[in-house]
Each structure stands twice: as C-alpha cells, then as structure tokens.
Amino acid sequence: MMKCICKADRDERVRTEGLAMQVADYLRQGESTKQKLGVELEHFLVRADDLSSVPYRGGVESLLAALLPSGWEPVIQEGELMGLRGELGEITLEPGGQLEISLYPCSCVKALDGEYRSFLGQITPILRERGWALACTGYRPADGIDSIPLLPKERYRMMYRYFGEHGGDYAHHMMKGSAAEQISIDYRDEADFVRKMRIALFLAPFIAAAFDNVPVFEGGAPPHKAMRSVIWCGCDGVRSGIPWEVFAPDFGYESYGRMLLSRPLILHARDGVMTYTGSRTGAEVYREGMDEADIRHLLSMFFFDARAKQYIEVRMGDMLPPELSFGYAALIKGLMYDTANLCMLGEMAEQLDREGHVKLLADVQRVGTAALWQGRPVREWMTDWARRAIKGLRPEETEYMERLLPDLTAGRTPAMRTLTHMGEGRQAFSWCLIK
C-alpha cells in the first residue's frame, strides 16, 4: 500500500514539473531586448459635482458606447459591453467598474504620454456633456464599497465569492474600491527576469509610500499610510504581497510556475466557460495538461507586488493625476533600463533582509515616507533613486522626473497634496480630476 502511495505522489510531482516547464517555456517566449514600457491607468468614473461613483448600468457602459464613433471596437463578454480595443490601446473594466486604459508598449515615455492625452481628448467632451469626471486617485474619493455594485462578469463574481470565503479583511476593498497605475517592463533573458523581479519586489514599500494617493478611504480618513499596500496585505496571502520564493537561490522561470501551480486557482476558464475551483491548486485543476490560454489565465490569477506575464508588471503605485503619472513611469524606466542603476538596485535586492523589509513595510504603513530603511528615510532613498533615474532617460523624458523631484524630496505624497486643501471640500480633489 505504501509503495502505491509513493508512486502516486511521484507521478503527481512529475505532472506538476511538466506543467511548470510549460509555464517556463511561455515566459521564455516573452524575452525581449526592445526595452519597451507598458502603462495601465485605472480611473473612477464619478459625478463631477459631488464625486459620487457612476455605476456600470447607465454610466460606465454608456461611456464606452459613446467612444465607439472615435474608432474603438467593442469587446463583448457574457453579452455585456466590457471594454474597447483601438489604435491607442485597450480599455477594460475592473470589478467595481473602474475604467482602465492599457497603452500599447512603447520605448519612449513622452510618446506614451501623447497616446494618453489623445485618449483624454476623446473622452473629455463626453464627460463634460454628462457632468462626469475621471478621478485619478488610489481609492474612491466619496463612496464606500457597499454602495458599489459588482460588475456583471462571472470571473469577478467567482473571485468575490472566493475572497469572501478565504480572503482577508480588505479583499473586497481591493476589488471594488482601489485603482492603480501599473508599469510593465521587458526582460531580456532568465537572469534579467530574476533580477528585475527581485528589484521590483524590493522597491514595493518605497513606491507604496512615495506614491500614496489615498486621502480618503470609505468616505473618511484612511486608517493607515500607503493604503494600497495595506489593502493588498489584507487581501489574500497566497496571491498578493511579496512571494519570498522569488529570493530563493534557484528562482527562475520554472520555479515561478511551480509556485503558482501550488496555490489555489479560484476559477478555471475553458472555451469561454468559467468553473469555480475554490481552494484547488493550479496543479490539481490542470493535472490533465494546459494550453496557452490556461497559462495566461494562471498568470493572471496572482496579484503579487510584481508579477510576470511575458513581461514584468510593477504593481504597487496608486493611480496618479496626469501631471505625475508619467513621472512614475519615467522613474521605473530610468531605474530598470539603465545598466548602472540596475546593478545598484540588484545588489540591494540580493542583500534583502526579510525581517527588515517586513518591518519597513509596517513602518511605511504607519508613518509613510518618514519610515527608515538602513537609517535613512524612505523619502531620501526615493530622491536619490529619482536623480539616478534621470541619467537613464532620453533628454525629452527628463521633464517628467523633474516634476516628481520637489515632492519626493519633501516626502510629500499625492494624498498629502490633496489633504492640504481638504478645508475646501470636494475642490481639494480638483487636481485629481479629468473633466
């Protein structure tokens, strides 16, 4: 009997290794020397007068429809208009109706900014006509999540159910209340992948502190600084935060796949049909094999502070107003695509002390950019790195970093800029609104 159990275990390990190798092959296909940058920007559609959220029905849905004459193509899912595709990029919707535009990757920050401005040129006349605005904040500026309907999409309903059963205190806040700016970067080979993943995770608390843009949480004062990091820490420990396996000596494409396969998948998509899998792991769900669509789905179901999808996605920045958003993108480019900066940060990430980093994150959530790391405040580290990043940018891109430097030097976050004017009521958010 024992012999049979051992053979079954061995067969299961062999199957899992085969699946992990498939993930590794997929990630290897993403290798690129082009050094492009992808930018995803999530917005809240709100009423311009009181900042209350505009729902999907009769709101977000109709806004998407109004953009169709500008050359966008509709994306219909489960009989609903759930997004658009066009020359500028792709528009998708998050679980609470947050509107995200993913700009097509480009090697120049200024060009990405131009594409975003073109999108805003299309959408602002519609917003103005309807008395709406896009709020560029990390959390809803006026509403609590209980008043926000979940988008009518099976994937989101299953995720909401799973997080209700297995998630932390902030899992539903993540889904319906938060918004981010996510930056995607290329990796040229497996060694570059490993180094950039470690650097992105190492930088996560610093980014969360410096780009904190949550002046209001659930209609009141946020209970912590860097609320995005708090929300993700309180989401689901197996699929968010820092996966410490990334810092293991043998980390690489295959071990990344093995790590994901060992964790609950939540749901399985095959031929357009969603199946709730709950706590079953990816290895259990895919024990009969995976195709490329399955691999893409597996990679999409984990939300670490940095994750892989044939590129590396840096995820810990809050959504920012247009005057700052491409400064953040320029910072990531100048650090990740400059050889000297990459080496400097790579050495820091290699020496990462887990206990010290956990303490840093806790301190960031308590005192923000005043938190100390190796005896220096986060604001000083961010200022130094921003100055170094300028050296890794094209001349026409440096202006974006120069806009960031005064606030980084002062340790002044976007949330603090808004809070300074809270005596003016909703007008305090005016610099965060597109209308």
Side-chain angles (χ1 to χ4, degrees):
M1 184 69 173
M2 181 62 69
K3 183 176 180 180
C4 293
I5 293 174
C6 291
K7 181 179 184 302
D9 288 346
R10 185 169 62 252
D11 290 346
E12 193 65 36
R13 284 197 298 272
V14 169
R15 273 194 295 269
T16 300
E17 287 303 308
L19 296 173
M21 289 174 65
Q22 284 186 258
V23 175
D25 289 342
Y26 180 80
L27 293 175
R28 193 170 288 109
Q29 292 168 23
E31 294 174 352
S32 173
T33 59
K34 294 180 179 178
Q35 296 193 334
K36 289 187 175 182
L37 207 66
V39 179
E40 300 177 6
L41 304 116
E42 299 172 355
H43 314 74
F44 299 110
L45 183 62
V46 300
R47 296 176 180 85
D49 56 354
D50 63 3
L51 306 186
S52 61
S53 297
V54 176
Y56 171 74
R57 298 287 184 205
V60 177
E61 179 185 30
S62 69
L63 179 63
L64 294 178
L67 284 167
L68 290 173
S70 296
W72 295 88
E73 296 180 2
V75 175
I76 307 297
Q77 296 174 336
E78 301 172 32
E80 305 280 3
L81 180 57
M82 285 291 170
L84 303 172
R85 289 194 192 92
E87 293 182 358
L88 300 175
E90 298 184 0
I91 298 174
T92 54
L93 301 180
E94 294 298 304
Q98 302 95 315
L99 188 146
E100 174 186 296
I101 179 162
S102 301
L103 301 171
Y104 292 131
C106 177
S107 60
C108 178
V109 174
K110 195 172 186 69
L112 286 166
D113 185 17
E115 298 289 88
Y116 184 56
R117 301 286 173 176
S118 296
F119 162 69
L120 296 183
Q122 295 176 4
I123 203 169
T124 48
I126 305 169
L127 298 172
R128 196 173 300 120
E129 177 185 323
R130 303 183 182 198
W132 295 343
L134 295 179
C136 301
T137 54
Y139 202 82
R140 293 187 181 275
D143 305 291
I145 61 167
D146 288 344
S147 66
I148 306 299
L150 192 67
L151 211 66
K153 190 172 178 178
E154 194 62 25
R155 172 186 171 100
Y156 293 155
R157 283 192 283 265
M158 290 181 180
M159 289 175 63
Y160 203 78
R161 170 187 167 185
Y162 176 86
F163 287 136
E165 295 171 351
H166 305 284
D169 293 341
Y170 288 112
H172 289 164
H173 297 81
M174 174 277 291
M175 292 187 70
K176 297 201 294 184
S178 66
E181 177 178 349
Q182 291 158 183
I183 311 296
S184 300
I185 55 174
D186 288 332
Y187 51 89
R188 68 174 183 271
D189 54 29
E190 189 167 16
D192 194 44
F193 168 83
V194 170
R195 179 161 62 171
K196 285 175 177 169
M197 279 290 291
R198 288 172 176 168
I199 290 172
L201 292 169
F202 162 70
L203 289 176
F206 298 90
I207 291 171
F211 297 105
D212 177 7
N213 194 21
V214 182
V216 172
F217 178 77
E218 291 291 285
H224 305 277
K225 305 287 187 184
M227 274 303 299
R228 180 169 178 78
S229 70
V230 175
I231 289 170
W232 280 107
C233 285
C235 177
D236 180 2
V238 303
R239 73 188 66 250
S240 58
I242 294 181
W244 292 101
E245 293 93 331
V246 173
F247 295 91
D250 62 346
F251 177 71
Y253 294 150
E254 191 172 328
S255 56
Y256 187 75
R258 194 181 307 116
M259 175 180 70
L260 301 191
L261 288 161
S262 70
R263 303 182 182 206
L265 187 63
I266 299 182
L267 60 97
H268 169 49
R270 179 65 64 87
D271 299 326
V273 178
M274 295 281 180
T275 303
Y276 184 72
T277 57
S279 295
R280 292 173 63 203
T281 67
E284 292 170 331
V285 173
Y286 294 124
R287 66 192 320 270
E288 301 302 324
M290 294 189 296
D291 59 22
E292 189 168 302
D294 295 327
I295 296 172
R296 288 197 300 270
H297 175 71
L298 174 71
L299 295 171
S300 78
M301 292 305 298
F302 294 85
F303 316 105
F304 307 123
D305 293 353
R307 66 177 178 181
K309 282 183 168 184
Q310 289 195 326
Y311 49 80
I312 293 171
E313 190 177 83
V314 183
R315 299 175 43 81
M316 283 316 292
D318 277 326
M319 179 59 186
L320 301 169
E323 70 177 82
L324 300 179
S325 54
F326 289 89
Y328 172 44
L331 173 69
I332 299 302
K333 178 186 178 181
L335 293 177
M336 293 294 200
Y337 288 150
D338 178 82
T339 302
N341 289 335
L342 201 62
C343 289
M344 177 265 298
L345 289 171
E347 290 177 5
M348 289 183 170
E350 289 292 337
Q351 299 167 10
L352 184 66
D353 167 39
R354 178 172 179 173
E355 183 178 341
H357 215 56
V358 169
K359 181 181 185 304
L360 170 62
L361 181 59
D363 290 345
V364 158
Q365 294 170 353
R366 183 172 55 85
V367 296
T369 58
L372 298 180
W373 187 68
Q374 294 189 350
R376 298 179 66 200
V378 164
R379 65 174 178 271
E380 290 186 10
W381 287 106
M382 288 298 291
T383 302
D384 286 354
W385 293 335
R387 291 193 174 117
R388 285 177 173 267
I390 291 175
K391 299 175 184 177
L393 299 174
R394 300 177 183 180
E396 66 270 23
E397 295 172 326
T398 59
E399 63 179 278
Y400 295 100
M401 286 303 309
E402 289 165 359
R403 293 178 201 166
L404 288 185
L405 273 170
D407 282 348
L408 291 178
T409 303
R412 185 170 52 243
T413 67
M416 291 168 68
R417 285 180 61 173
T418 300
L419 288 168
T420 300
H421 300 283
M422 285 303 277
E424 303 169 20
R426 300 301 184 194
Q427 278 299 112
F429 287 90
S430 59
W431 77 291
C432 296
L433 299 181
I434 297 167
K435 57 182 179 179

